[in-house]
Amino acid sequence: MKVIEKFDFEKQNMTKITNTHFLRIDHRVVSLSMAITGLTETISVLKNQLNEIHWYDGEWFLEESEPIYGLAFIAFQNYINGSIKDFADSLNEKETYYKLEKNLPEGNKSRIELIIALANYAKHKDEGIPHRGTKEILDHFNLNYEDVNYLDKSPIFQGLNLFSEGWDLFTLKTLVTDWREYMWARFD
């Protein structure tokens, strides 16, 4: 375990803190918040167009907002993987950390696993059938990914419905930041 020296202004001396405690400070949350704020504002602009432009309907909204929501899932995935790297100093066992969730029944998939799967789906959806791990999680949550002709049946929107009725990205932000703290509290 790496030890870092830090000047304690109150005591006017150097104190030693462990790398673990230093990395427990969530320095990633600021950039995640900025990204989610920007994406939420962009989605609000699209929602306003539903009332302001006579030909702009729900189909247009879904078409234009799906990649934006996909970017949000990718931002959450980046935050999750960065948090694991902060904690374990490696991503070799990341699937173990994805499964962390309080009171998760045996054999179920966690909400973090679903976020990771939706991020991977967003990145690779034009390649056809998702990779095995992504497919397994989407299947577990009964999310359709084959022949998505109507975007409201897209895994992105179906998945958002599982997290928040109003597709609120800040609900997911709270979920991932709470998960990060749970990971540290559970193993530290």
Side-chain angles (χ1 to χ4, degrees):
M1 185 176 302
K2 184 177 177 184
V3 175
I4 299 169
E5 288 194 31
K6 175 180 128 183
F7 188 75
D8 185 333
F9 288 96
E10 192 172 300
K11 295 179 182 177
Q12 293 295 306
N13 66 359
M14 295 295 283
T15 60
K16 294 181 181 184
I17 58 174
T18 64
N19 190 30
T20 300
H21 292 110
F22 175 72
L23 292 174
R24 187 170 184 167
I25 298 166
D26 191 357
H27 63 278
R28 296 178 183 281
V29 74
V30 173
S31 60
L32 178 65
S33 294
M34 290 188 313
I36 297 308
T37 297
L39 294 171
T40 299
E41 288 173 6
T42 303
I43 290 165
S44 292
V45 168
L46 297 177
K47 284 180 181 177
N48 288 337
Q49 289 182 5
L50 288 168
N51 298 322
E52 296 171 359
I53 302 173
H54 74 280
W55 54 264
Y56 193 88
D57 60 10
E59 289 293 321
W60 279 100
F61 172 75
L62 293 176
E63 182 75 32
E64 292 188 326
S65 67
E66 185 188 37
I68 297 166
Y69 283 113
L71 286 171
F73 282 113
I74 294 166
F76 292 130
Q77 179 184 45
N78 184 55
Y79 175 86
I80 291 164
N81 286 337
S83 294
I84 292 168
K85 180 82 166 108
D86 289 346
F87 180 77
D89 199 33
S90 166
L91 292 176
N92 293 339
E93 303 289 324
K94 64 185 176 187
E95 287 82 9
T96 300
Y97 297 103
Y98 293 165
K99 294 178 185 308
L100 292 180
E101 187 167 331
K102 291 179 187 174
N103 306 317
L104 184 68
E106 184 69 31
N108 277 1
K109 303 289 183 192
S110 74
R111 294 176 292 172
I112 296 301
E113 287 177 288
L114 178 55
I115 290 170
I116 298 298
L118 291 170
N120 288 334
Y121 172 81
K123 290 187 286 190
H124 303 289
K125 74 179 195 145
D126 293 328
E127 296 173 14
I129 300 296
H131 295 101
R132 186 180 50 85
T134 300
K135 182 182 178 313
E136 178 183 313
I137 293 166
L138 296 177
D139 286 343
H140 177 83
F141 286 97
N142 297 314
L143 301 181
N144 177 46
Y145 49 82
E146 293 181 12
D147 300 320
V148 178
N149 295 321
Y150 300 100
L151 282 177
D152 62 333
K153 303 299 182 203
S154 159
I156 298 292
F157 297 117
Q158 291 177 341
L160 282 166
N161 283 332
L162 296 175
F163 291 110
S164 168
E165 206 173 288
W167 300 350
D168 178 26
L169 295 177
F170 287 100
T171 299
L172 279 95
K173 178 186 166 275
T174 299
L175 172 71
V176 299
T177 56
D178 288 352
W179 165 84
R180 178 188 166 105
E181 183 54 35
Y182 177 65
M183 176 178 61
W184 282 91
R186 181 161 179 199
F187 291 113
D188 196 23

